[in-house]
Amino acid sequence: MGIKFSLAAVFGLILAAYFGVGAAGLYHFFGVTVPYIAIVLFLCGVVYRVLKWARSPVPFRIPTTAGQQKSLDWINHARYDNPSTKRQTVVRMALEVLLFRSLFRNTKFEMKDGHRLFYQWEKWLWLAALAFHYCFLVILIRHLRFFTEPVPFFVQGIERLDGFLQVGLPGIYITDAVFVLAITYLIVRRLIIPQVRYISLPQDYFPLFLLLAIAITGILTRYVVRVDLIKVKTLAMGLISFHPVVPAGIGAIFFVHLLLVSTLFAYFPFSKLMHAGGIFLSPTRNLPNDNRIRRHINPWNYPVKVHTYAQYEDHFREKMVEAGLPVEKELEEAPPAAS
Ligand code: HEM
């Protein structure tokens, strides 16, 4: 159900742009209106999500830990699995964000021979996720050539490095091939591992199909149905300088690519893709575990009016004794009356 729905949604988008531009001539709508709406939704959505996270009170240290916490000097401290200082936490975050360290530690377990539990090496998910994210980054950086004039040196450098195989004309980018392979792996994994498929929802499939469609339409634009890149650059520069123009003669395939990219941007803040920002605001990751080193006082504490049991009993002791209820302090004997 989730798969069919997500596939249908992506195909719907492709058809909408293809016929919207090709048959109905809605160039301005797909070339200007939709990208602007997408960017506004992206920016407002990201700011909204970040502010919402930032407003959640985190009065105590709640990092997830996966190793020995700082203790006596002769006990080995797992610095980056259980950081106790800000520096160690920064290193832990950097390892997580740049190398996906927690995913690297992933293991697979299986029952074998009926009752024996086996932990197995499982790094493919980590490898595919890392490859996918880094290729995505490189592709985005390469796309800066459409939005900058002159094109910065690092964009040209990355382009040269990425196309160093010099296969085909125009040259094949390594990141394009790896990006498509990695997303395909992520999709296939979701489909063929029963436990993963069972917990997969449309919101898991949709971004994967969307990203794959973006890559395929981009690749088609570059290698198969070529478009005039000078005109694409005029459109892109017009968008970012707020003087939008849509030059005549850009092929429909480009507008399909642009609509899919716009959908990705508009959808991003409201989806699981927002983990890109969430990781930095995650108190289970960005805090040192120094609960036993420093006393953390909840800054939101306010004086609470309390009524202790002793006060309660003082109040009701006579009535409790009368009713035969046990009391902690006996009733004081009344002093003998003066004769
Ligand atoms: C999430 C953002 C985007 C992704 C993931 C993406 C992905 C891709 C990929 C994988 C390719 C294949 C060739 C290459 O890697 O250069 C491509 C090509 C292309 N993309 Fe994108 N793209 C994105 C955004 C955009 C935007 C905003 C534009 C609008 C200017 C655009 C315009 C193009 C064009 C014109 C090509 C053909 C490039 C050529 O012929 O050299 N893309 N895209």
Side-chain angles (χ1 to χ4, degrees), residues 194-321:
Q195 294 91 330
V196 182
R197 187 173 175 145
Y198 181 69
I199 57 163
S200 294
L201 298 168
Q203 50 268 47
D204 296 307
Y205 292 113
F206 179 66
L208 287 172
F209 290 139
L210 187 62
L211 282 161
L212 187 60
I214 289 175
I216 291 174
T217 51
I219 289 169
L220 285 178
T221 310
R222 182 172 163 83
Y223 302 103
V224 187
V225 202
R226 309 282 288 276
V227 298
D228 186 338
L229 294 183
I230 308 280
K231 290 179 179 166
V232 168
K233 183 150 184 168
T234 311
L235 186 149
M237 295 298 285
L239 284 176
I240 58 162
S241 60
F242 297 108
H243 295 295
V245 275
V246 185
I250 307 180
I253 185 77
F254 167 75
F255 292 93
V256 174
H257 187 61
L258 195 58
L259 177 65
L260 295 172
V261 170
S262 302
T263 308
L264 181 73
F265 274 86
Y267 173 71
F268 190 95
F270 312 102
S271 69
K272 68 179 210 174
L273 303 175
M274 201 46 210
H275 68 268
I279 178 88
F280 295 99
L281 283 111
S282 175
T284 51
R285 297 255 175 233
N286 66 14
L287 294 172
N289 178 19
D290 57 1
N291 282 315
R292 297 196 175 170
I293 301 170
R294 283 182 45 219
R295 177 158 186 234
H296 298 280
I297 296 174
N298 183 353
W300 290 274
N301 263 352
Y302 54 91
V304 179
K305 240 180 125 183
V306 289
H307 190 220
T308 62
Y309 177 73
Q311 288 168 330
Y312 169 87
E313 201 184 286
D314 282 348
H315 215 117
F316 294 108
R317 187 166 297 108
E318 265 177 46
K319 293 194 171 66
M320 289 170 78
V321 172

Side-chain angles (χ1 to χ4, degrees), residues 7 18 22 25 30 47 58 65 71 90-91 98 103 106 111 138 160 221 231 235 239 264 266 270 273 276 307 320 331:
L7 263 179
Y18 193 76
F30 285 103
V47 169
V58 185
T65 57
S71 177
V90 169
V91 175
L98 301 174
L103 199 54
N106 176 38
M111 292 291 264
V138 171
R160 227 170 294 129
T221 310
K231 290 179 179 166
L235 186 149
L239 284 176
L264 181 73
F270 312 102
L273 303 175
H307 190 220
M320 289 170 78
L331 270 179

Side-chain angles (χ1 to χ4, degrees), residues 84-99:
S84 65
T85 63
K86 268 196 188 132
R87 221 192 110 259
Q88 290 165 8
T89 311
V90 169
V91 175
R92 181 195 201 195
M93 281 293 285
L95 290 173
E96 186 62 34
V97 171
L98 301 174
L99 297 175

Side-chain angles (χ1 to χ4, degrees), residues 139-140 142-143 145-146 173 176 214 218-219 222 257 261:
I139 291 171
L140 285 186
R142 277 202 283 96
H143 273 66
R145 74 186 194 277
F146 296 123
Y173 290 127
D176 284 357
I214 289 175
I219 289 169
R222 182 172 163 83
H257 187 61
V261 170

Side-chain angles (χ1 to χ4, degrees), residues 78-139:
R79 278 188 184 76
Y80 306 123
D81 284 324
N82 201 330
S84 65
T85 63
K86 268 196 188 132
R87 221 192 110 259
Q88 290 165 8
T89 311
V90 169
V91 175
R92 181 195 201 195
M93 281 293 285
L95 290 173
E96 186 62 34
V97 171
L98 301 174
L99 297 175
F100 304 178
R101 183 161 174 265
S102 63
L103 199 54
F104 184 76
R105 297 161 57 99
N106 176 38
T107 47
K108 187 168 93 179
F109 62 91
E110 240 176 352
M111 292 291 264
K112 279 192 183 161
D113 311 331
H115 62 283
R116 293 176 66 193
L117 189 60
F118 279 86
Y119 283 88
Q120 292 165 34
W121 185 94
E122 160 45 349
K123 302 285 177 239
W124 296 115
L125 178 59
W126 169 79
L127 197 65
L130 202 67
F132 159 70
H133 283 85
Y134 272 105
C135 289
F136 196 161
L137 179 65
V138 171
I139 291 171

Side-chain angles (χ1 to χ4, degrees), residues 38-54:
I39 289 298
V40 170
L41 282 174
F42 175 79
L43 293 177
C44 295
V46 168
V47 169
Y48 168 76
R49 293 290 300 265
V50 168
L51 287 181
K52 201 162 168 233
W53 282 322

